[in-house]
Each structure stands twice: as C-alpha cells, then as structure tokens.
Amino acid sequence: MELPRIEVPMRGLPAGFDGYTIAFLSDIHAGPYLGTDVLNPLFRRVTEAKPDLIVLGGDLVNYSVEEAEEVANAIKNLHAKDGILSVPGNHDHYTGDINRVVRYLEKEGVQSLVNDSTAISRRGDYISILGVDDGGAGSFDLARARERSRDTKTRILLSHTP
C-alpha cells in the first residue's frame, strides 16, 4: 500500500517550513472491524515516511472508550520529529467520555488540541497549529483556539468537521 502524497502550496509560508511534511490520519474508527492487526503495520508505514508532524483528525474510535485503548497501543508505532497532534471527532464524543479518550492518547504522547493551539518552530520561523472540537457532537470554539494561538503569518486549522 502506497501512502498518497499531496503537495499543498501555502502563501506566506515561512522559509524554514519549505518542504515540511504532515501525515494526516482520520476516521480510523477502531473497533470490532479494525484492530491493532491493521493499525500497527499502517502506523509503522506512516513512521517510515518520516513526516515532520503527524495529525490525527478525529473519529479514532467507533463507539467505545475501550477502543481508544487499542488505538493508543498502536500509536506506539507512530513517530514524527514534531510529534503527534489530534482533534476529536463525533465518534470520539459518542463514547460518552471524551476526556478518557483524550487521556489514552496523551498517555502515548499525543497532544490533543480541543479549541486550543500550539506553535512549531523551524530555523527561527514559526507556524501555529489550531485545533477545534467537533462541530456537531463537541463544543466547537474557533475564537478560543485563535486567542490561544501564537501570532504567526501561517496558521493551520485542524477540524474533524471543517
């Protein structure tokens, strides 16, 4: 299985980020039909591509908090220079305990951006990554994420339901 590569030109991108790569994984829906037997090799392939950053775009689980534990175990195979970020999707909320889902991810080093932001630095340049909660099942608050972002020329928004 070949991982697709898509080049996204960005106006105003700081020179330090030229060639920066982000691996984006979304809608995994781990559960009875998709377990670590599939996730482990997939996540190893993503790591072998040597992305600068990995983003998990929500719906990591189908309906159960326990499915988040299975995803977290497989996340041990994901590695990127600038780490792993995530935003929740509607199915992550459908578990009834989004905080527990987030804790499983954070235990494995994943930074969850729920109406929040982080900055990434390259050779003295910065970009801001903003993440919002799911627009249907969560508490979407773009204004809060923007307020918490570093004042940079380039902002990238992560949302399960853009």
Side-chain angles (χ1 to χ4, degrees):
M1 174 178 72
E2 187 172 329
L3 299 176
R5 295 181 74 86
I6 301 168
E7 188 169 326
V8 179
M10 296 183 70
R11 189 176 314 155
L13 184 69
F17 287 89
D18 186 39
Y20 194 82
T21 58
I22 299 173
F24 182 79
L25 304 166
S26 186
D27 293 273
I28 292 169
H29 290 278
Y33 307 110
L34 183 64
T36 53
D37 59 323
V38 174
L39 293 177
N40 284 333
L42 170 64
F43 288 179
R44 282 193 288 270
R45 292 279 322 264
V46 170
T47 295
E48 288 168 4
K50 298 187 185 329
D52 293 300
L53 177 69
I54 296 172
V55 171
L56 304 174
D59 281 3
L60 300 179
V61 300
N62 209 22
Y63 287 105
S64 165
V65 172
E66 289 70 29
E67 295 163 347
E69 184 174 17
E70 192 158 1
V71 173
N73 286 331
I75 282 175
K76 293 173 183 171
N77 293 295
L78 277 178
H79 304 282
K81 290 180 238 176
D82 291 327
I84 306 169
L85 302 176
S86 74
V87 292
N90 54 312
H91 278 261
D92 303 317
H93 280 279
Y94 294 164
T95 64
D97 195 346
I98 187 65
N99 293 326
R100 215 165 126 210
V101 172
V102 167
R103 281 194 305 272
Y104 274 121
L105 298 174
E106 288 177 347
K107 182 179 170 193
E108 298 307 325
V110 175
Q111 181 182 0
S112 293
L113 296 177
V114 184
N115 303 320
D116 207 347
S117 71
T118 191
I120 297 175
S121 173
R122 276 282 187 276
R123 298 186 295 263
D125 290 327
Y126 289 89
I127 60 171
S128 289
I129 310 285
L130 290 73
V132 292
D133 201 355
D134 182 72
S139 299
F140 178 92
D141 191 344
L142 178 58
R144 181 177 187 273
R146 286 189 62 165
E147 288 168 9
R148 297 177 60 85
S149 72
R150 183 181 178 116
D151 187 20
T152 59
K153 288 182 182 178
T154 303
R155 291 181 174 153
I156 297 172
L157 176 63
L158 309 177
S159 174
H160 181 70
T161 53

